[in-house]
Amino acid sequence: MSNVIPKPSVPAPDIVRCAYMELVVTDLAASREFYVDLLGLHVTEEDENAIYLRSFEEFIHHNLVLRKGPVAAVAAFSYRVRTPEDVDAAEAYYRELGCRTERRRDGFVKGIGDSVRVEDPLGFPYEFFYEVEHVERLHMRYDLYSAGELVRLDHFNQVTPDVPRGRKYLEDLGFRVSEDIKDSEGTTYAAWMHRKQTVHDTALTGGNGPRMHHVAFSTHEKHNIIQICDKMGALRISDRIERGPGRHGVSNAFYLYILDPDGHRVEIYTQDYYTGDPDNPTITWDVHDNQRRDWWGNPVVPSWYTEASLVLDLDGNPQPVIERTDASELEVTIGADGFSYTRPGDENGAYHGMASKGFKLGTQV
Amino acid sequence: MSNVIPKPSVPAPDIVRCAYMELVVTDLAASREFYVDLLGLHVTEEDENAIYLRSFEEFIHHNLVLRKGPVAAVAAFSYRVRTPEDVDAAEAYYRELGCRTERRRDGFVKGIGDSVRVEDPLGFPYEFFYEVEHVERLHMRYDLYSAGELVRLDHFNQVTPDVPRGRKYLEDLGFRVSEDIKDSEGTTYAAWMHRKQTVHDTALTGGNGPRMHHVAFSTHEKHNIIQICDKMGALRISDRIERGPGRHGVSNAFYLYILDPDGHRVEIYTQDYYTGDPDNPTITWDVHDNQRRDWWGNPVVPSWYTEASLVLDLDGNPQPVIERTDASELEVTIGADGFSYTRPGDENGAYHGMASKGFKLGTQV
Amino acid sequence: MSNVIPKPSVPAPDIVRCAYMELVVTDLAASREFYVDLLGLHVTEEDENAIYLRSFEEFIHHNLVLRKGPVAAVAAFSYRVRTPEDVDAAEAYYRELGCRTERRRDGFVKGIGDSVRVEDPLGFPYEFFYEVEHVERLHMRYDLYSAGELVRLDHFNQVTPDVPRGRKYLEDLGFRVSEDIKDSEGTTYAAWMHRKQTVHDTALTGGNGPRMHHVAFSTHEKHNIIQICDKMGALRISDRIERGPGRHGVSNAFYLYILDPDGHRVEIYTQDYYTGDPDNPTITWDVHDNQRRDWWGNPVVPSWYTEASLVLDLDGNPQPVIERTDASELEVTIGADGFSYTRPGDENGAYHGMASKGFKLGTQV
Amino acid sequence: MSNVIPKPSVPAPDIVRCAYMELVVTDLAASREFYVDLLGLHVTEEDENAIYLRSFEEFIHHNLVLRKGPVAAVAAFSYRVRTPEDVDAAEAYYRELGCRTERRRDGFVKGIGDSVRVEDPLGFPYEFFYEVEHVERLHMRYDLYSAGELVRLDHFNQVTPDVPRGRKYLEDLGFRVSEDIKDSEGTTYAAWMHRKQTVHDTALTGGNGPRMHHVAFSTHEKHNIIQICDKMGALRISDRIERGPGRHGVSNAFYLYILDPDGHRVEIYTQDYYTGDPDNPTITWDVHDNQRRDWWGNPVVPSWYTEASLVLDLDGNPQPVIERTDASELEVTIGADGFSYTRPGDENGAYHGMASKGFKLGTQV
Ligand SMILES: [Ca+2]
Ligand SMILES: [Fe+2]
Ligand SMILES: [Fe+2]
Ligand SMILES: [Fe+2]
Ligand SMILES: [Fe+2]
C-alpha cells in the first residue's frame, strides 16, 4: 500500500491507558439524565457548558467530558502517558508524522494539565497528557454504589476504513494486538489493541471513518449490566438498548451496547482477561465464525455495523468520513450474500443470507 | 362460543404443583448428553429406555422422564395433587368432562404410584398423582453444584388455539391467572396460571395446538443462566440457543430458551415473584407493548412463535394439531402488518412491519 | 407437661403468610435512616409518629410499620388470612384459648382493615387480617432498585422458653415444621414453621421470652446482601453487623444479621427452598453439628443467642420475660462446657469449650 | 537501621508478575483432592512426584506446582520477567546483594526454561524466569467452568519480621506499594506491593519469618467464592475455612482464606482495583481501624496472624524462622491490651481487649 503510515524516527510516547473521552452533545440536560441519572457516573464538576464525570474506582479528575455543542461528535480520545516528558514525546512524534498538533500547558479541559492534541493519521482527535488533578477515589464508597455501577473506563472503539493501516500505526505507537477478526483471503475486519493489561485500550472496527464506534465502561459483575437493561426497561427506553447483553467471542467479556440521546454508543463491559505478559497470545477469529462477536450466536443488529459518531478536527469541525473499500463484515456475514457458521464444516450450523437465529436483514440498512 | 368446556359438578382435584414432564425422545444418548452433561440434571435412575432426572432441590423421584420413542413428543404433563383421594377426584372430574382417562395404581413411570392420565379437553395428556418415592434432596450437596445448576422445575407452557377457552377450563380446575397478554379488541394471546405460589405452573400460548411450547427449570441466580449460554458456546452448539437470555416482561423473570436434540424447547428461568395471596393482582399486558415478552425490547425470534412439540394421546399417538383462527401474536407484532411500541403514544418508540431493533422477519417462517 | 396449650375445638384461621411487623422505635428519624436510607425499603406513607414501609415486590400497603414510642419493642406480628371470615375464625380460636383479644373493624394501623390482635398463649402480640389496601407493586421499577434491594418480607423469629410447647401450639394453628434443631436427649432448641411455601413464616428460638429475635427480608441474589455489608462499612456502622454474612445450615439460605438503632435485629436472607408439598420432609439438625447455624462453621456471636427485643401486650406494655429452663444452645455448643463438631465421630473436627474457628466466648456475656 | 538492604548498582530485572508457587506437600493425593477436586484447578501435567496446575485464564504452563516432600513448605515464589535477559539481570542483582543464587538453563520445574533461583535477603526462595511453555488458555472453555472457578493467580503473601526493611528491598526491586497498615508511632504492620496493574503481586505481613502467609487465586465474581465455602460445607471440611468470606478493607477485594491438607493457606480473592498509573495513590490504614482487614468488622481469627508455612533454602531445607520484635498486629488489636475502633473518636465503636463482635481471644494462641 502506498498509504502506509511511516514509523517516526523519534520514540513513541509511553502510553499508560485510555483515560477519558470528550463528547460533544447537543442537549446537556438530556445527556446528564443518561450518564448521571441512568448510568450513575459521578459528577466531579459541572457548569452550563460541560459536565465532568468519573467512574467508581477512578482517582483522576474524569473519564468522560460532556460538552455542549451544535453537532454530536467526539472532540478527543485522551490517553494518559507515563511522564510529563511523554507529552513532549507525543508532540514530536506526531509532528514528524506531519500531523497537526496543538499544545496547551493548562490543558484543554478542567482537571487536566499540560496536554497535546493531534489530528492523527487516521483522522482522529487524539490527546496525550500526564498532569491531572487527583480526586477522591470512590472505590469503597458503597453508600454511593448503584445496582448498575460503572467502575472503570475500559476502552475506546474507532471506525476506520483500512484496519491494517490503522493497526500498523497503533503498533508503532506502542499498542499491542490482543485479538483480531480476519477472513481466509487476508482481509482484516477489526483489531483490539492495548497498553494497559486488559484486552484493549482501543479497537479498530472496519467501516466508513474516522468515526467513534463506542466508549466502554466496566462493571464489577454481570448482574450490574443486567440491571442497566432492567432500568432502561423500567424507564421505557429499551429502544436505546441496541445490542446485547451477551458474551463476546472476542475479549470473552460480557457486554451491552446502549445509545445516548445523541446516538453516541456506550458499551458496558465486564470480565475480559489479563494481557500483560510480553508474549500474550494473539487470538485471531474467522469473520465467518458466528460466535466471534456474540459467543451465543445472537445476531448483531445491522445498525451496530453501520452507525457511529463523527469526530472533530482541532478546529471543532467534523472530519469528513471516508468509505471503506475492503469487504464489509456486515455483508460477508449477515448481508444478502453473507455466510456464517456455528461449527466449521458442519452445514447444520451454517447460516446463509440472513442473520443468525432466523432474523433476516431489514430494509432499513 | 358453542365449544365452551363446562365446569363439572364434582369438585376439582386439589393440585399442588407441576411435578414432572414425560418427554419422548428419539435418541436417548443424545438427550442424555443434553440434559445431564450440558444442563446437569441429576439422574435418579436410568435404563435402556428411560432416564429419570431431578433438579437440585427436588425430593420426589423425578421432574423429567426421557423415554425413547419413535416420534419426539410429550407423553405427560404431570401434576402432584394434595392427597391420595385427589387422584380419585381427578378421575371423576375428567370422566364427567367426557374425557378418556386411564388409571394405574402402580403408576405409569418409575417412582410414582397411583396415577390417572387423561386426554384433556384441549387435547393434552395430563397426569395427576399423589404417591411418590422420596429421594435424597440434593439442596445442600454443593459438591454436586454446577455453575449452571437447575434447582427446581418451574412450569410448563402449552400451545392451544383458543386461549380463553383453555383458560376457563384451567380456572375451573383451580388454576389462577397471574398475567395475560391481550389486545384492545379483546383477543387473548397468552395466559399464565398457577397453583403453587409462583407466577405459573403452566401457561397457555395461543397457536396451533395442542402442542407443548416448553418446560422450564429455575436457577438460583442470573449468572447461572449466563453460564449455560457460555457452555453452549464452548460446546459449539450456540445454534441451539433459540432466544435470550433476557428479562421477561410477563413474570419479571430472567430467562433463556434452548432446544434439545429433538427440538423440545427448554426454558431456564429465575426470579419471578410471590403470588400466594388470594387477591394477587392479575397483570394484563398489551400485545403491542414491545417489552411484554422481553423487557429490554429484544426481538422474539419467529421460530419461538411457530415451533412446538407434539403431544401424545393415551395410546401414544400424536394428537392432531388444530390451527389457531384468532389473530397471531407474531403477525400482530412482528409480521408484515405488525406493530409494536416501546412507549405507548410515542411514535419514536414504535416499530412497524419488522421485529424490534431493526430485524425484519425472515423468509423461513 | 401440665402447661400444654390445648387445641381449640373451633377451626384455626387459614393463615396465608406473615405480612408485616409493627415495631416500636424510640427515635423515628434514626430508624428512617436505617430502614429507608440504608436498607432502601419503600415508604408507602409516613407522618410524625409512624412510617409505613414495603419491599420491592409487595402489593399490600406495608411489610413494616415503625411507630414512635418510649420503649423499643414489637407491637404486632401480623399475618394475612385467606378470607374476611378467617378474621372471625382467629378471634374465636383465641377466645377459646382464653387469650385476650381485640377486634378493630378499621384496623390498628393505616392500610389494613378489619383485624384482630391477640395476646397469644406464648405472650406474643399476634394480628390477623384480610382486608388491605393494594398499592403499586414495584417489582419492575428497576429505576428504584438499589444494589441491596429488599424484595420481600420473608419471616419472623420469636424467642420462647419452651420450644416444643410453642411448636405444638403453632402446629395446631396450621403451621408446618420444615426444620428443627434437637439433641440426642430430646431437647428442642429451635423450630422453623411455615404457611407459605418457603422454609418459614416464623421460627421459634429457645431462650428467655417472649421476645422477638428478628424480622427477615429477602433479596434476589447473594451479592445484594454483600452490598448491604459493604454499605454499612462505607457508613462506618460495621459494628451494627452482628453476624454473617453466611450460609445457614437450617434453611440453606444465605443470610446476614444486622441491628437497627434500637437493637431490633433484622435478617437479610435469600434462596431457601420450596416447601409446598404436603409431605415436605422435615430436616432435623443435631445441636452439636457445627454447620447447623452456619454451613461454613463460622462462629455464632454470643449476643445472637442472648439479645432480643421486648414484645408488647395489647395495652402497649412490655410483656414480662420468662427464663428458659431447658438447656441453652449457646451453652451446649460454645459455652464453657460446650461441644460442637464438623464431622460426627471425627475428633479432628470437634470443638470444645469455645466457639469454632479459635474464638472463645468473651466475658461480656 | 544497620541491617538495611542496600540497593545494587546493577539494574533490577523487569518483573512482569507473580507467576507460580512451588509448594512442597506431604501427601500428594490429599493435596490433589484439595486443589483439583475441591478447587478445580486444571492439571497441565502430573506424575508420581509432582502436579502442575493452572487457572482458567492462564496461558503459561502452570501457576502452582505441588511437589511431594517430607516437610510442608514453599520451594519457590516465582516471578515472570519481561525478557530472557532479565533472568541474567536478576542473577547479577542478587549476586551483588551477596545472595546465594542458582541458575538452571532448563528450569527447575517442567514447563519453565532458563531460570534463576535465589535465597533473597529476607530468606525467601525467589525465582525469575522468562521462557515458558504456552498451553491452551482455557478462558472460554465454559464446558470446564466450575461454580467456584479460579481464573487467575493473583498474588503471594510473605511473613517477615521487619516490614519496612522488606518493603525497601522490594521497592528497589521495582515493586510499588499500593496500600499499607501503620500506627501513629510509625510501626508498619503490612504492605502490599505490585508489578502488574492490580493491588499486589506480593504482600509483606509482619510476623515471625521468613514464612509464606498465603497464595491467592482470583475468581470472576463473589458468588464463586461463596460456592467454595458451600462446597467445603457439603464435604464437611468447613473447619478448613479459616477466615471469611469477607470484604477486605485493604485492596477492597472480596476474600476467603482456606487451609490445604498441610496447612498451607490459600486465599480466594476477587475485585480489587486498577493500579497501573504511575502516581497511583498509596492508601495507608490505621492498624486500629477495625475495618482495615475486614470492611465489615468481622474478627480476624488469631491463627490467621500466627500460622504460616515454612520456606526452603536452595538445598531444600527449611529456613530458620526469626521472631518479629516490632509490635504485633494481633496484640495491638485483639490481644489482651488490644484496641480497635469502627469510628475514630467514637467510644461506641471501640473494642478493647477482645476481637470485634464480642469474641475474645482464646487460650489456644
Ligand atoms: Ca430501594
Ligand atoms: Fe468494545
Ligand atoms: Fe415459560
Ligand atoms: Fe431467620
Ligand atoms: Fe492476600
Side-chain angles (χ1 to χ4, degrees):
Chain A
M1 276 181 288
S2 54
N3 67 344
V4 165
I5 300 162
K7 180 169 185 171
S9 64
V10 296
D14 186 352
I15 296 170
V16 173
R17 57 156 168 154
C18 62
Y20 81 90
M21 182 175 281
E22 183 180 354
L23 268 185
V24 179
V25 300
T26 59
D27 179 339
L28 197 58
S31 295
R32 195 185 197 286
E33 216 174 306
F34 184 83
Y35 290 100
V36 179
D37 299 340
L38 171 61
L39 294 181
L41 286 170
H42 300 273
V43 178
T44 301
E45 55 184 311
E46 60 185 324
D47 58 30
E48 294 172 334
N49 294 310
I51 306 174
Y52 295 79
L53 299 167
R54 70 185 192 277
S55 56
F56 192 65
E57 298 184 348
E58 188 54 76
F59 72 94
I60 66 170
H61 187 266
H62 58 257
N63 300 124
L64 188 68
V65 180
L66 305 175
R67 185 160 57 79
K68 197 177 170 179
V71 178
V74 177
F77 298 77
S78 182
Y79 295 93
R80 192 158 195 219
V81 293
R82 192 159 304 279
T83 67
E85 295 69 37
D86 282 301
V87 181
D88 302 326
E91 190 174 23
Y93 192 85
Y94 282 95
R95 282 192 175 161
E96 181 172 337
L97 280 168
C99 295
R100 179 176 168 193
T101 67
E102 183 177 347
R103 183 78 174 261
R104 292 202 194 164
R105 298 291 163 178
D106 294 333
F108 291 79
V109 297
K110 289 186 184 175
I112 308 284
D114 183 20
S115 315
V116 65
R117 286 193 174 180
V118 309
E119 292 173 8
D120 88 352
L122 307 180
F124 290 96
Y126 263 34
E127 178 183 270
F128 304 89
F129 73 92
Y130 168 78
E131 288 178 16
V132 68
E133 193 179 314
H134 286 208
V135 292
E136 185 192 356
R137 191 171 219 163
L138 302 172
H139 70 309
M140 304 197 78
R141 289 294 305 275
Y142 292 102
D143 52 323
L144 304 178
Y145 191 88
S146 69
E149 189 71 22
L150 305 184
V151 301
R152 305 186 197 178
L153 173 72
D154 194 84
H155 63 267
F156 306 140
N157 189 302
Q158 309 171 238
V159 190
T160 193
D162 184 340
V163 173
R165 181 169 178 265
R167 172 186 183 152
K168 190 264 179 200
Y169 149 63
L170 287 173
E171 287 183 314
D172 288 346
L173 191 56
F175 286 85
R176 287 168 45 218
V177 176
S178 54
E179 310 204 19
D180 57 18
I181 296 178
K182 293 184 175 172
D183 66 18
S184 55
E185 286 142 45
T187 306
T188 299
Y189 295 86
W192 283 256
M193 318 195 70
H194 71 98
R195 287 290 306 174
K196 68 174 158 27
Q197 297 172 344
T198 64
V199 168
H200 51 324
D201 287 276
T202 195
L204 297 180
T205 298
N208 305 339
R211 291 186 299 164
M212 187 275 285
H213 194 272
H214 61 264
V215 57
F217 291 90
S218 54
T219 64
H220 280 137
E221 301 199 335
K222 295 180 283 292
H223 59 81
N224 301 114
I225 294 184
I226 292 167
Q227 158 65 13
I228 293 172
C229 298
D230 288 339
K231 189 171 176 181
M232 291 180 78
L235 296 171
R236 287 283 165 179
I237 52 169
S238 65
D239 50 344
R240 307 305 287 171
I241 298 176
E242 186 191 38
R243 182 184 155 206
R247 168 77 64 191
H248 280 309
V250 174
S251 84
N252 196 27
F254 190 72
Y255 73 88
L256 170 72
Y257 295 98
I258 58 179
L259 300 173
D260 89 356
D262 284 296
H264 295 309
R265 186 181 287 109
V266 176
E267 182 179 16
I268 321 292
Y269 180 96
T270 193
Q271 293 163 19
D272 62 1
Y273 58 89
Y274 167 81
T275 60
D277 275 23
D279 53 350
N280 181 69
T282 301
I283 299 174
T284 293
W285 296 78
D286 180 353
V287 72
H288 297 293
D289 181 345
N290 196 41
Q291 295 186 184
R292 76 198 180 291
R293 291 218 177 253
D294 185 275
W295 186 241
W296 312 333
N298 280 334
V300 178
V301 67
S303 63
W304 191 90
Y305 283 118
T306 58
E307 303 304 312
S309 295
L310 295 173
V311 301
L312 301 182
D313 64 21
L314 296 187
D315 296 319
N317 298 316
Q319 290 279 16
V321 173
I322 295 157
E323 262 193 50
R324 175 171 169 93
T325 54
D326 283 356
S328 141
E329 184 171 342
L330 184 155
E331 284 167 15
V332 302
T333 55
I334 64 170
D337 307 315
F339 165 72
S340 287
Y341 59 79
T342 303
R343 292 170 294 280
D346 176 359
E347 193 56 24
N348 286 327
Y351 300 92
H352 291 273
M354 57 178 123
S356 61
K357 307 288 169 67
F359 280 101
K360 190 176 167 187
L361 199 58
T363 51
Q364 73 288 359
V365 179
Chain B
M1 277 179 286
S2 56
N3 67 345
V4 165
I5 300 162
K7 180 168 186 172
S9 64
V10 297
D14 187 351
I15 295 170
V16 174
R17 59 157 167 153
C18 63
Y20 81 90
M21 183 175 279
E22 183 180 355
L23 269 185
V24 180
V25 299
T26 59
D27 180 338
L28 198 57
S31 295
R32 195 185 197 287
E33 216 173 305
F34 184 84
Y35 289 100
V36 179
D37 298 342
L38 171 61
L39 294 181
L41 286 170
H42 301 274
V43 178
T44 302
E45 56 184 310
E46 62 184 323
D47 59 29
E48 294 172 336
N49 295 310
I51 306 175
Y52 294 78
L53 299 168
R54 71 184 190 279
S55 55
F56 192 65
E57 297 184 350
E58 188 52 79
F59 73 94
I60 67 170
H61 188 264
H62 57 258
N63 300 123
L64 188 68
V65 181
L66 305 174
R67 185 161 56 78
K68 196 178 169 178
V71 177
V74 176
F77 298 77
S78 184
Y79 294 93
R80 192 157 194 219
V81 293
R82 191 159 305 277
T83 68
E85 295 69 37
D86 283 302
V87 181
D88 301 328
E91 191 174 23
Y93 191 86
Y94 281 95
R95 281 193 175 159
E96 183 172 335
L97 280 168
C99 295
R100 179 174 169 194
T101 67
E102 183 176 346
R103 181 78 174 259
R104 291 201 193 163
R105 300 288 166 180
D106 295 333
F108 292 78
V109 297
K110 288 187 184 175
I112 309 284
D114 183 22
S115 314
V116 64
R117 285 193 175 182
V118 308
E119 292 173 7
D120 88 353
L122 308 180
F124 290 95
Y126 263 33
E127 178 182 271
F128 304 90
F129 74 93
Y130 169 78
E131 289 178 15
V132 68
E133 192 178 314
H134 285 208
V135 292
E136 183 191 358
R137 192 171 219 162
L138 303 172
H139 70 309
M140 302 197 80
R141 291 293 305 275
Y142 292 102
D143 52 323
L144 304 178
Y145 190 88
S146 70
E149 190 70 23
L150 304 183
V151 302
R152 305 186 196 177
L153 174 71
D154 193 86
H155 63 267
F156 306 140
N157 189 303
Q158 309 171 240
V159 189
T160 193
D162 185 338
V163 172
R165 181 172 179 263
R167 172 187 183 150
K168 191 263 178 199
Y169 148 63
L170 287 173
E171 286 183 315
D172 288 347
L173 192 56
F175 286 84
R176 286 169 46 220
V177 176
S178 54
E179 308 202 20
D180 57 18
I181 296 177
K182 292 185 174 170
D183 65 18
S184 54
E185 286 141 45
T187 306
T188 300
Y189 295 86
W192 284 256
M193 318 193 69
H194 71 98
R195 288 292 305 175
K196 67 175 162 22
Q197 297 172 344
T198 64
V199 169
H200 52 325
D201 288 276
T202 195
L204 297 180
T205 298
N208 305 338
R211 293 186 298 164
M212 186 275 284
H213 194 274
H214 62 265
V215 57
F217 291 90
S218 55
T219 63
H220 281 137
E221 302 198 336
K222 295 180 284 291
H223 60 80
N224 300 114
I225 293 184
I226 292 168
Q227 158 65 14
I228 292 172
C229 297
D230 288 338
K231 188 171 176 180
M232 292 180 78
L235 295 171
R236 286 282 162 182
I237 53 170
S238 64
D239 49 344
R240 306 305 287 170
I241 298 175
E242 187 193 34
R243 184 187 153 203
R247 167 78 63 191
H248 280 309
V250 175
S251 83
N252 197 26
F254 190 73
Y255 73 87
L256 171 72
Y257 296 98
I258 57 179
L259 301 171
D260 90 354
D262 285 295
H264 295 309
R265 185 181 288 110
V266 177
E267 183 179 16
I268 321 293
Y269 180 97
T270 195
Q271 293 163 18
D272 61 3
Y273 57 90
Y274 167 81
T275 60
D277 275 23
D279 53 350
N280 181 69
T282 301
I283 299 173
T284 292
W285 296 78
D286 180 352
V287 71
H288 298 294
D289 181 344
N290 196 40
Q291 294 187 183
R292 77 198 178 290
R293 291 220 178 252
D294 186 275
W295 187 241
W296 312 333
N298 280 335
V300 178
V301 67
S303 64
W304 190 89
Y305 284 117
T306 58
E307 303 302 312
S309 294
L310 294 172
V311 302
L312 301 182
D313 66 21
L314 296 186
D315 297 319
N317 298 318
Q319 290 280 16
V321 173
I322 294 158
E323 262 191 51
R324 174 171 170 92
T325 54
D326 283 355
S328 142
E329 184 172 342
L330 183 155
E331 283 167 14
V332 302
T333 55
I334 65 171
D337 307 316
F339 165 71
S340 289
Y341 60 79
T342 301
R343 293 170 293 279
D346 176 359
E347 192 57 22
N348 287 327
Y351 301 91
H352 292 272
M354 56 178 124
S356 62
K357 308 287 168 70
F359 281 101
K360 189 176 169 187
L361 199 60
T363 51
Q364 75 288 359
V365 179
Chain C
M1 277 180 287
S2 56
N3 66 344
V4 165
I5 299 162
K7 181 171 187 171
S9 63
V10 298
D14 186 352
I15 295 169
V16 174
R17 58 158 167 151
C18 63
Y20 81 90
M21 181 173 281
E22 183 181 355
L23 269 185
V24 180
V25 299
T26 58
D27 179 339
L28 197 58
S31 294
R32 194 184 196 288
E33 216 174 307
F34 184 83
Y35 290 101
V36 179
D37 298 341
L38 172 61
L39 294 181
L41 286 170
H42 300 274
V43 178
T44 301
E45 56 184 310
E46 60 184 325
D47 58 29
E48 295 172 333
N49 296 309
I51 306 174
Y52 295 79
L53 299 168
R54 70 186 193 276
S55 56
F56 191 66
E57 298 185 349
E58 188 53 78
F59 72 95
I60 66 170
H61 187 265
H62 57 257
N63 300 122
L64 188 67
V65 180
L66 305 175
R67 186 160 55 79
K68 196 177 168 178
V71 178
V74 177
F77 298 77
S78 183
Y79 295 93
R80 192 157 193 219
V81 293
R82 190 159 304 279
T83 67
E85 295 70 37
D86 283 302
V87 181
D88 302 327
E91 191 175 22
Y93 191 86
Y94 281 94
R95 281 192 176 161
E96 184 172 335
L97 280 169
C99 294
R100 177 176 170 194
T101 67
E102 182 177 347
R103 183 78 174 260
R104 291 201 193 162
R105 299 288 164 179
D106 295 332
F108 292 78
V109 297
K110 288 187 185 176
I112 310 283
D114 183 21
S115 314
V116 65
R117 286 193 174 181
V118 308
E119 292 174 7
D120 88 353
L122 307 181
F124 290 95
Y126 262 34
E127 177 182 90
F128 303 90
F129 74 92
Y130 168 78
E131 288 178 15
V132 68
E133 193 179 315
H134 286 209
V135 292
E136 184 191 357
R137 192 171 220 163
L138 302 172
H139 70 310
M140 304 196 79
R141 291 292 306 275
Y142 292 103
D143 51 323
L144 304 179
Y145 190 88
S146 70
E149 189 71 23
L150 305 184
V151 301
R152 305 185 196 177
L153 173 71
D154 194 85
H155 62 267
F156 306 141
N157 190 302
Q158 310 170 239
V159 189
T160 193
D162 185 339
V163 173
R165 180 170 179 266
R167 172 186 183 151
K168 191 264 179 200
Y169 148 64
L170 287 173
E171 287 182 315
D172 288 346
L173 191 57
F175 287 84
R176 287 167 47 218
V177 175
S178 54
E179 309 203 20
D180 57 18
I181 296 177
K182 293 183 175 173
D183 66 18
S184 56
E185 285 142 47
T187 306
T188 299
Y189 296 86
W192 284 257
M193 319 195 68
H194 71 97
R195 288 292 305 174
K196 69 175 161 19
Q197 297 173 344
T198 64
V199 168
H200 51 325
D201 287 276
T202 195
L204 297 179
T205 297
N208 305 340
R211 291 187 298 164
M212 187 275 285
H213 195 273
H214 61 266
V215 57
F217 291 89
S218 54
T219 63
H220 281 137
E221 301 199 335
K222 295 181 283 290
H223 59 82
N224 301 114
I225 294 183
I226 292 167
Q227 159 65 13
I228 293 171
C229 298
D230 288 338
K231 189 171 175 180
M232 292 180 78
L235 295 171
R236 287 283 164 179
I237 52 170
S238 65
D239 50 342
R240 306 305 287 171
I241 298 175
E242 186 192 36
R243 183 185 155 206
R247 168 77 65 192
H248 279 310
V250 174
S251 84
N252 196 27
F254 190 73
Y255 73 88
L256 171 72
Y257 296 98
I258 58 179
L259 301 172
D260 89 355
D262 284 296
H264 296 309
R265 187 182 286 109
V266 177
E267 182 179 15
I268 322 291
Y269 180 96
T270 194
Q271 294 163 18
D272 62 2
Y273 56 90
Y274 167 81
T275 60
D277 275 23
D279 53 351
N280 181 69
T282 300
I283 299 172
T284 292
W285 296 78
D286 180 351
V287 72
H288 297 293
D289 181 346
N290 196 39
Q291 296 187 182
R292 78 198 178 289
R293 291 220 177 252
D294 185 277
W295 186 241
W296 312 333
N298 280 335
V300 178
V301 67
S303 63
W304 190 90
Y305 284 117
T306 58
E307 303 303 313
S309 296
L310 295 173
V311 301
L312 302 182
D313 64 22
L314 296 187
D315 297 318
N317 298 318
Q319 289 278 16
V321 173
I322 296 156
E323 263 194 50
R324 175 171 168 93
T325 54
D326 283 356
S328 140
E329 183 172 342
L330 184 154
E331 283 167 14
V332 302
T333 56
I334 63 171
D337 306 317
F339 165 70
S340 289
Y341 59 80
T342 303
R343 292 170 294 278
D346 176 0
E347 192 57 23
N348 286 328
Y351 300 91
H352 291 273
M354 57 177 126
S356 60
K357 307 287 168 68
F359 281 100
K360 191 176 169 187
L361 199 58
T363 50
Q364 73 288 357
V365 178
Chain D
M1 276 180 286
S2 56
N3 67 346
V4 167
I5 300 162
K7 181 170 186 171
S9 64
V10 297
D14 186 352
I15 296 170
V16 174
R17 58 158 168 153
C18 62
Y20 81 89
M21 183 175 279
E22 183 180 355
L23 269 185
V24 179
V25 300
T26 59
D27 180 339
L28 197 57
S31 294
R32 194 184 197 286
E33 217 174 306
F34 184 85
Y35 290 100
V36 179
D37 299 341
L38 171 62
L39 294 181
L41 286 170
H42 300 274
V43 178
T44 301
E45 55 184 311
E46 60 184 324
D47 59 30
E48 296 172 334
N49 294 310
I51 306 175
Y52 294 78
L53 299 167
R54 71 184 191 277
S55 55
F56 191 65
E57 297 185 348
E58 187 54 78
F59 72 95
I60 67 169
H61 188 266
H62 57 257
N63 300 123
L64 188 67
V65 180
L66 305 174
R67 186 162 55 79
K68 196 178 170 178
V71 178
V74 176
F77 299 77
S78 182
Y79 295 92
R80 193 156 194 221
V81 292
R82 191 159 303 278
T83 67
E85 294 68 37
D86 283 301
V87 182
D88 301 326
E91 191 174 22
Y93 191 86
Y94 282 95
R95 280 192 176 161
E96 183 172 334
L97 281 168
C99 295
R100 179 176 169 194
T101 68
E102 183 177 346
R103 181 79 173 258
R104 290 201 194 164
R105 299 288 165 179
D106 296 332
F108 292 78
V109 297
K110 289 186 184 176
I112 309 284
D114 183 21
S115 315
V116 64
R117 286 194 174 181
V118 308
E119 293 173 6
D120 87 354
L122 307 180
F124 291 96
Y126 263 34
E127 178 182 271
F128 303 90
F129 73 93
Y130 168 78
E131 288 178 17
V132 67
E133 194 179 313
H134 286 208
V135 293
E136 184 191 357
R137 191 171 219 162
L138 302 172
H139 70 310
M140 303 196 79
R141 290 294 305 275
Y142 292 103
D143 52 322
L144 304 178
Y145 190 88
S146 70
E149 190 71 22
L150 305 183
V151 301
R152 305 187 196 175
L153 173 72
D154 194 84
H155 63 266
F156 306 140
N157 189 304
Q158 309 171 242
V159 189
T160 193
D162 184 340
V163 173
R165 181 171 179 263
R167 172 187 184 151
K168 191 265 178 199
Y169 148 63
L170 287 173
E171 287 183 313
D172 288 346
L173 192 56
F175 286 84
R176 286 169 45 220
V177 176
S178 53
E179 308 202 19
D180 57 18
I181 296 177
K182 293 185 175 172
D183 65 18
S184 55
E185 285 142 47
T187 306
T188 300
Y189 295 86
W192 284 256
M193 317 194 70
H194 71 99
R195 288 292 304 175
K196 66 174 160 27
Q197 297 172 343
T198 64
V199 169
H200 51 325
D201 287 276
T202 195
L204 296 180
T205 298
N208 305 339
R211 293 186 299 164
M212 187 276 285
H213 194 273
H214 62 265
V215 57
F217 291 89
S218 55
T219 63
H220 281 136
E221 302 198 335
K222 296 180 284 288
H223 60 80
N224 301 115
I225 293 183
I226 292 167
Q227 158 65 14
I228 292 171
C229 297
D230 288 338
K231 188 171 177 181
M232 293 181 76
L235 295 171
R236 287 282 163 182
I237 52 170
S238 65
D239 50 342
R240 306 304 287 171
I241 298 175
E242 187 193 35
R243 182 185 156 207
R247 167 78 62 192
H248 280 309
V250 175
S251 83
N252 196 25
F254 190 72
Y255 73 87
L256 170 72
Y257 295 97
I258 58 179
L259 300 172
D260 90 355
D262 284 296
H264 295 309
R265 186 181 289 110
V266 177
E267 182 179 17
I268 321 292
Y269 180 97
T270 194
Q271 293 163 17
D272 61 3
Y273 58 90
Y274 167 80
T275 60
D277 274 23
D279 52 351
N280 181 70
T282 300
I283 299 172
T284 292
W285 295 78
D286 179 353
V287 72
H288 297 293
D289 181 346
N290 197 39
Q291 295 187 183
R292 76 200 179 288
R293 292 220 177 252
D294 185 276
W295 186 241
W296 313 332
N298 280 333
V300 178
V301 67
S303 64
W304 190 89
Y305 283 117
T306 58
E307 302 303 310
S309 295
L310 294 173
V311 301
L312 302 182
D313 66 20
L314 295 187
D315 297 319
N317 298 318
Q319 290 278 18
V321 173
I322 294 157
E323 262 192 52
R324 174 172 170 92
T325 54
D326 282 356
S328 143
E329 183 172 342
L330 184 155
E331 283 167 15
V332 302
T333 56
I334 64 172
D337 307 317
F339 165 70
S340 289
Y341 59 80
T342 302
R343 291 170 294 280
D346 175 0
E347 192 56 23
N348 286 327
Y351 300 93
H352 290 272
M354 55 178 125
S356 61
K357 308 288 168 69
F359 280 101
K360 191 177 168 187
L361 199 59
T363 50
Q364 74 287 357
V365 178

